[in-house]
Amino acid sequence: MKKITVAIDGHSSCGKSTMAKDLARRVGYVYVDTGAMYRCVTLFALRHGLFLDDGSIKTEELQQAMDDIKITFVFNQETGRPDAYLNGELVEREIRSLEVSNHVSPIAALGFVREDMVRQQREMGMEGGIVMDGRDIGTVVFPNAELKVFVTASAEVRAQRRYDELKQKGMEADYDDILKNVVERDYIDSHREVSPLRQAEDALLLDNSHMTIAEQNEWLLKRFEEATKEEAISSLS
């Protein structure tokens, strides 16, 4: 049976990665966390002093450095999920910090950054059999994906989830700061000139504000089974 492409878009901290990882594991597909890719670029920029004191970016210097930013994913046998590596260094923990969260949206809004990330993402998914989540997967990266899902939840629910995740990892967290970050990222992601966050016309909408992780995972698995069944039928006709 032909393997399909699953594109999952949505707001920050709405559980996209959690459900995408679970689906990929259950159906034997490759999972790619595109948000982690932009976080890696952001971490690189922070480490190399490419942010000014007012939060603006040294865009020319970052553009010149893009060829030096290599992002890869390595499957973690212990967690059963892929970890992000920046130039060969495991940075999965570092890219989830609030500092990176506070700087990632302006980085992701840069045209040359998105162009390079989209190129890498398309190379990863050329053969299908991939589950990819982000902000523009169904609209820009894979507009012909067989299954598109747009995920959302209230800002308050998403902030609480992010807070709980950070505390569980033993990292410092302040709910009010996280909520402010979530609201700001929503605005920037939806209003940027290049590939703004929006629901594709043929994407299924999922508001998981009041769903458990198990419930959203089952919902996505059912949609996947329906999509693969439809693809199998169309290939025979």
Side-chain angles (χ1 to χ4, degrees):
M1 181 182 295
K2 175 181 176 292
K3 291 186 175 182
I4 68 172
T5 297
V6 181
I8 303 177
D9 292 310
H11 296 97
S12 65
S13 302
C14 65
K16 300 186 304 296
S17 296
T18 298
M19 60 195 301
K21 290 173 184 175
D22 180 79
L23 178 66
R25 178 184 59 80
R26 295 172 74 171
V27 303
Y29 275 27
V30 175
Y31 166 71
V32 176
D33 180 358
T34 63
M37 298 175 71
Y38 290 102
R39 285 176 174 272
C40 284
V41 177
T42 304
L43 180 63
F44 179 94
L46 286 167
R47 286 179 169 180
H48 289 79
L50 300 183
F51 283 96
L52 298 173
D53 291 340
D54 62 359
S56 59
I57 306 162
K58 299 178 182 178
T59 53
E60 289 187 11
E61 293 181 31
L62 177 59
Q63 187 168 12
Q64 292 173 359
M66 288 305 296
D67 287 342
D68 298 323
I69 301 176
K70 306 299 181 185
I71 302 167
T72 54
F73 292 94
V74 177
F75 187 76
N76 186 321
Q77 294 289 349
E78 293 185 5
T79 64
R81 295 174 175 178
D83 288 332
Y85 283 72
L86 173 60
N87 295 331
E89 175 194 353
L90 174 62
V91 293
E92 188 64 33
R93 179 182 176 88
E94 289 81 355
I95 64 174
R96 307 299 174 182
S97 69
L98 186 57
E99 182 182 22
V100 170
S101 294
N102 284 334
H103 290 84
V104 65
S105 287
I107 288 286
L110 294 172
F112 63 84
V113 173
R114 301 204 69 83
E115 181 179 347
D116 191 68
M117 296 298 102
V118 168
R119 175 187 59 78
Q120 293 188 42
Q121 292 156 16
R122 285 176 174 160
E123 289 177 356
M124 295 175 186
M126 287 179 62
E127 302 301 321
I130 195 165
V131 182
M132 191 174 289
D133 73 273
R135 301 289 192 280
D136 60 354
I137 310 306
T139 54
V140 176
V141 183
F142 295 117
N144 297 319
E146 291 85 354
L147 174 59
K148 301 179 187 178
V149 177
F150 190 88
V151 190
T152 189
S154 71
E156 292 75 14
V157 166
R158 288 182 283 135
Q160 186 64 52
R161 290 173 179 170
R162 183 72 178 144
Y163 174 85
D164 293 341
E165 178 186 1
L166 291 173
K167 296 297 287 186
Q168 191 175 35
K169 293 179 178 179
M171 302 173 69
E172 290 295 321
D174 180 276
Y175 173 80
D176 291 333
D177 288 344
I178 295 173
L179 178 59
K180 181 174 181 288
N181 171 256
V182 166
V183 173
E184 289 176 347
R185 288 181 66 188
D186 284 352
Y187 183 85
I188 294 173
D189 291 343
S190 301
H191 290 80
R192 65 185 178 220
E193 292 185 11
V194 181
S195 304
L197 171 65
R198 63 180 178 83
Q199 180 182 343
E201 292 183 1
D202 54 345
L204 303 174
L205 177 64
L206 173 64
D207 185 331
N208 63 9
S209 296
H210 304 292
M211 296 176 73
T212 65
I213 291 177
E215 288 172 340
Q216 71 173 19
N217 289 348
E218 289 303 318
W219 181 92
L220 181 59
L221 178 61
K222 185 175 181 180
R223 302 291 88 76
F224 172 82
E225 291 172 343
E226 292 170 351
T228 51
K229 185 176 181 180
E230 289 178 5
E231 184 65 21
I233 292 175
S234 64
S235 65
L236 295 173
S237 58

